[in-house]
């Protein structure tokens, strides 16, 4: 098992990619945990395998259906909107992402 | 509480010697009496179950045997399987108040067959764990001895069956999460061939690994449930038919392969002794037991703890506080995501998401994920080759019996519990865990399981051998 070190900024980078805010004590603990686990799973590097040839799992075939609408319009709307934290006039409300103050 | 099987319940319901109302009442009494101490259930549907039992009782009076095959049979449901209108939490604060907007296919099929869901069971958060200690809603105790864990992640389901709260429960298995808790609780657990059972309506963990399956007191009961829930589903494009794989016939005499090199270290001595005794039982029953080599099997754990976190990091990206689940406000959209996910996910979940993010990130993708996926293909080829020489592979289900709460606080020590179960998920073959016996620890008699593995599509072969080696011997 190779000794692997995870730096604080690496954990911070991963947390940013994963959209999770971490407290500093969490970062420290994760540094240890992730380093230990990567150290263990890193043994996979010694495997001689052609990585390029393998991008599937199991029986490989496509499953299609006709491109037609099968539900009644609005059949699930109320039920699905009920689960959303904030809705307005049948829409899910989200924070603004486009700055439209200057045109 | 008498141990009912599905067959005897069905027989008695048809004959009228007992009724769904009486039986459901008994099971609800057991839950009332025992579950405070054990904590198998997150929620019990007492009123709904009684009403359904009443309706089933009347149906049997009028129609007798001309009723759906599981009418009146109570079951418990792991809380990561969607049951419309009910809270489906996946053991997480992220989904603590989420009410399922549809039924999982397995639930819909059990409903059509007349089965009665008595309640939903506790689990490791998002199915990540081997002890049910990672639930956001408290631990479940092993009904055999309360100092010990029931296993995980389907610990609540296994405990519910072991404590006689229900005759059967559904769990899910991504790396052993049906088989290992079944092993720890002394009951039967089954992971189908990947694709045999629809994943539509399962809270996704590792989409190339997950399967729902039954936990019960007998292989016959497990087979009866599997028969109802299995089958192609247009809502899950990974489901298979009977034609997908070549026939895996049943035989009078099976050749059972044992990958002995895998047990040379790390397996509890008493479990190993019990496993060897089981191999003797196989020989005595007329089967052949031979040694086999599965050199790649042992590398499965490393591959699993790359592939599974990778898939987890992708599957759990949907929990963003926008369309459902916990929503913590932030100043910006991004802040909202980061706060919601910080508050909603527990420690193990965060660990695995970050691990998955790492192995999928630029510069590491090929070295970790790419290699692990390549290993999966090689493992399938290795298995296919071994299955030309043997009919079934046998291993202990887990390297140890149940451990005590808090004993496996180091993540790697916990992950090592999965060594015999994860290669099955990585390759997609079916596997069955049957009780093998008990080992004595302090004053506790802790169960351990024996695992049988068959080729793809060999689910029936496992039911056959399991029935002969367990059901028929424990009568």
């Amino acid at each position: 098992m190779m000794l692997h070190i995870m730096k604080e900024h690496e954990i911070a980078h991963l947390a940013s990619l994963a959209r999770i805010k971490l407290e500093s004590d969490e970062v420290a603990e994760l540094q240890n945990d992730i380093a230990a686990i990567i150290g263990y799973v890193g043994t996979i590097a010694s495997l001689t395998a052609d990585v390029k040839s393998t991008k599937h799992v199991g029986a490989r075939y496509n499953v299609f259906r006709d491109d037609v609408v099968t539900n009644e319009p609005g059949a699930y709307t109320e039920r699905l909107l009920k689960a959303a934290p904030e809705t307005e006039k049948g829409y899910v409300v989200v924070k603004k992402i486009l700055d439209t103050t200057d045109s | 509480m008498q141990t009912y099987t599905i067959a005897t319940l069905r027989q008695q319901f048809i004959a009228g010697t007992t009724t769904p109302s009486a039986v459901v009442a008994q099971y609800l009494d057991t839950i009332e009496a025992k579950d405070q101490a054990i904590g198998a259930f997150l929620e019990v549907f007492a009123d709904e179950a009684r009403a359904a039992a009443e309706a089933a009782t009347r149906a049997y009076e009028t129609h007798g045997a001309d009723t759906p095959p599981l009418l009146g049979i109570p079951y418990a449901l792991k809380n990561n399987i969607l049951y419309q209108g009910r809270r489906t939490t996946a053991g997480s604060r992220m989904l603590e108040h989420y009410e399922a907007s549809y039924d999982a296919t397995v639930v819909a099929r059990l409903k059509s067959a007349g089965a009665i869901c008595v309640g939903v069971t506790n689990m490791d958060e998002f199915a990540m764990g081997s002890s049910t200690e990672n639930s956001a809603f408290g631990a479940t105790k092993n009904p055999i001895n309360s100092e010990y864990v029931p296993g995980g992640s389907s610990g609540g389901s296994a405990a519910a069956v072991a404590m006689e709260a229900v005759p059967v429960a559904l769990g899910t298995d991504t790396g052993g999460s049906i088989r290992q808790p079944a092993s720890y609780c002394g009951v039967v657990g089954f992971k189908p061939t990947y694709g045999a059972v629809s994943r539509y309506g399962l809270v996704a963990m590792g989409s190339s690994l997950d399967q729902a399956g039954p936990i019960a007191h007998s292989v016959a009961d497990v087979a009866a449930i599997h028969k109802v829930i299995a089958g192609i589903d247009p809502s899950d494009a990974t489901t298979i038919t009977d034609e997908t794989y070549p026939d895996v016939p049943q035989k009078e005499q099976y050749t059972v392969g044992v990958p002995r090199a895998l047990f040379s270290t790390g397996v509890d001595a008493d479990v190993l002794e019990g496993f060897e005794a089981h191999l003797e039982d196989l020989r005595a029953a007329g089967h052949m037991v031979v040694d086999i080599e599965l050199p790649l099997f042992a590398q499965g754990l490393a591959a699993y703890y790359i592939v599974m976190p990778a898939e987890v990091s992708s599957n759990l990206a949907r929990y963003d506080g926008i369309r459902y689940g916990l929503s913590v406000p932030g100043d910006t959209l991004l802040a909202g995501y980061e706060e919601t996910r910080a508050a909603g996910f527990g420690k193990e979940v965060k660990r695995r998401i970050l691990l998955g993010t790492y192995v999928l990130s630029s510069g590491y993708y090929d070295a970790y994920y790419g290699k692990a996926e390549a290993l999966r293909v090689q493992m399938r080829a290795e298995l296919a080759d071994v299955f030309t020489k043997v009919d079934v592979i046998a291993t202990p289900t887990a390297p140890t019996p149940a451990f005590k709460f808090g004993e496996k606080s180091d993540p790697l020590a916990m992950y090592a519990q999965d060594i015999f179960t994860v290669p099955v998920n990585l390759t997609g073959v079916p596997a069955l865990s049957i009780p093998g016996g008990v080992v004595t620890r302090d004053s506790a008699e802790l169960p351990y399981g024996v695992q049988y593995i068959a080729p793809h599509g060999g689910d029936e072969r496992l039911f056959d051998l399991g029935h002969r080696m367990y059901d028929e011997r424990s009568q």
Side-chain angles (χ1 to χ4, degrees):
Chain A
M1 177 158 144
M2 299 156 32
L3 180 64
H4 192 95
I5 314 276
M6 288 293 294
K7 305 227 176 58
E8 205 177 295
H9 72 87
E10 289 179 277
I11 298 290
H13 176 60
L14 294 177
S16 164
L17 287 174
R19 306 300 193 225
I20 301 176
K21 179 172 161 222
L22 293 178
E23 305 301 326
S24 49
D25 58 323
E26 282 181 292
V27 173
E29 209 179 325
L30 283 161
Q31 273 181 269
N32 288 333
D33 290 345
I34 305 285
I37 298 166
I38 293 294
Y40 171 69
V41 302
T43 56
I44 206 113
S46 61
L47 177 74
T48 51
D50 178 14
V51 170
K52 307 254 179 301
S53 70
T54 69
K55 289 292 188 282
H56 75 101
V57 170
R60 195 178 12 183
Y61 48 85
N62 282 320
V63 176
F64 292 106
R65 67 174 180 89
D66 290 339
D67 186 14
V68 294
V69 173
T70 52
N71 296 327
E72 280 299 305
Y76 296 99
T77 309
E78 193 193 315
R79 210 191 309 178
L80 294 174
L81 284 178
K82 214 176 86 163
E86 209 183 327
T87 64
E88 191 181 300
K89 296 181 186 150
Y91 291 91
V92 175
V93 174
V94 300
K95 277 261 183 322
K96 185 166 156 174
I97 58 167
L98 297 173
D99 183 5
T100 51
T101 51
D102 307 316
S103 297
Chain B
M1 182 70 216
Q2 148 176 25
T3 300
Y4 286 113
T5 64
I6 292 174
T8 54
L9 279 173
R10 178 83 173 139
Q11 223 170 63
Q12 291 189 36
F13 289 162
I14 292 170
T17 46
T18 187
T19 64
S21 294
V23 164
V24 165
Q26 281 175 57
Y27 280 123
L28 288 174
D29 283 346
T30 300
I31 296 172
E32 176 87 36
K34 293 186 181 176
D35 202 45
Q36 185 89 328
I38 293 175
F41 286 86
L42 288 175
E43 211 176 322
V44 179
F45 306 157
D47 292 341
E48 252 197 34
R50 284 199 188 94
E54 262 303 298
T57 301
R58 287 194 299 273
Y60 275 113
E61 282 163 9
T62 330
H63 302 292
D66 189 21
T67 45
L70 298 178
L71 183 67
I73 306 290
Y75 74 97
L77 189 68
K78 185 178 182 182
N79 202 215
N80 62 347
I81 302 175
L82 267 60
Y83 190 102
Q84 188 177 333
R86 290 292 187 169
R87 287 190 309 151
T88 305
T89 68
S92 180
R93 295 250 171 259
M94 187 62 87
L95 294 175
E96 188 173 358
H97 302 291
Y98 169 69
E99 267 178 34
S101 31
Y102 59 99
D103 279 333
T105 295
V106 296
V107 168
R109 288 180 180 176
L110 287 173
K111 276 184 183 173
S112 294
I116 297 174
C117 184
V118 163
V120 290
T121 56
N122 199 18
M123 53 183 285
D124 283 297
E125 185 180 359
F126 282 107
M128 300 183 205
S130 306
S131 66
T132 310
E133 288 171 293
N134 293 333
S135 171
F137 308 118
T140 298
K141 314 266 173 40
N142 191 316
I144 312 285
N145 185 302
S146 62
E147 288 183 55
Y148 292 86
V149 301
S153 60
S154 309
S157 281
V161 173
M163 72 195 255
E164 310 276 14
V166 281
V168 64
L170 277 199
T172 62
D173 189 310
T174 304
S177 288
I178 285 173
R179 292 162 285 154
Q180 184 254 36
S183 169
Y184 282 9
C185 291
V187 292
V188 178
F190 176 64
K191 187 208 82 78
T193 300
Y194 179 81
V197 176
S198 173
R199 291 176 300 106
Y200 180 73
L202 266 52
V203 173
M205 179 187 167
S207 305
S208 76
L209 305 158
D210 296 339
Q211 276 289 280
I215 298 170
H217 286 291
S218 71
V219 178
D221 278 2
V222 150
I225 295 296
H226 179 76
K227 195 165 151 177
V228 166
I229 62 175
I232 194 156
D233 182 9
S235 298
D236 176 356
T238 61
T239 52
I240 60 174
T241 67
D242 290 334
E243 272 74 62
T244 303
Y245 293 109
D247 260 359
V248 179
Q250 286 158 44
K251 298 182 176 182
E252 254 317 294
Q253 184 203 67
Y254 289 111
T255 301
V256 179
V258 179
R260 215 157 270 271
L262 289 180
F263 316 147
S264 54
T265 55
V267 182
D268 179 276
D270 293 327
V271 168
L272 203 47
E273 197 183 309
F275 177 71
E276 293 288 351
H278 186 83
L279 297 180
E280 273 313 305
D281 290 345
L282 279 165
R283 288 189 189 98
H287 305 289
M288 277 196 47
V289 178
V290 301
D291 285 354
I292 54 172
E293 298 286 318
L294 279 178
L296 294 182
F297 220 69
Q299 298 216 41
L301 200 57
Y304 178 75
Y305 278 98
I306 292 169
V307 170
M308 174 273 292
E311 296 190 8
V312 157
S313 71
S314 174
N315 276 326
L316 271 63
R318 70 192 65 185
Y319 302 106
D320 56 12
I322 303 295
R323 288 153 301 149
Y324 45 75
L326 182 71
S327 184
V328 177
D331 292 337
T332 61
L333 190 66
L334 180 60
Y337 292 164
E338 292 180 333
E339 298 281 357
T340 296
R341 292 160 68 77
F345 293 142
K347 194 188 281 197
E348 182 63 31
V349 171
K350 285 177 184 162
R351 194 181 281 144
R352 296 196 193 189
I353 291 174
L354 292 195
L355 202 44
T357 305
Y358 181 84
V359 302
L360 289 175
S361 60
S362 173
Y364 298 115
Y365 185 100
D366 278 349
Y368 292 100
Y369 184 75
K371 281 280 190 178
E373 283 292 305
L375 178 61
R376 289 179 81 173
V377 172
Q378 287 192 335
M379 285 174 76
R380 285 173 81 107
E382 179 183 83
L383 263 187
D385 180 60
V386 162
F387 278 129
T388 61
K389 306 180 184 99
V390 304
D391 302 312
V392 168
I393 294 168
T395 73
T397 302
T400 67
F403 46 89
K404 287 190 174 176
F405 286 97
E407 197 181 303
K408 307 248 180 237
S409 50
D410 168 27
L412 281 174
M414 186 70 83
Y415 298 166
Q417 287 299 306
D418 299 337
I419 181 125
F420 302 127
T421 49
V422 302
V424 168
N425 304 79
L426 287 170
T427 51
V429 288
L432 177 73
S433 179
I434 55 172
V438 296
V439 309
T440 311
R441 286 285 173 278
D442 303 327
S443 51
E445 301 247 294
L446 300 174
Y448 64 88
V450 169
Q451 173 175 243
Y452 294 154
I453 304 168
H456 293 99
D459 307 51
E460 293 290 328
R461 175 180 286 179
L462 292 176
F463 297 149
D464 179 46
L465 184 59
H467 181 71
R468 287 154 69 182
M469 291 307 298
Y470 181 64
D471 295 358
E472 287 181 347
R473 294 164 154 265
S474 53
Q475 265 12 292

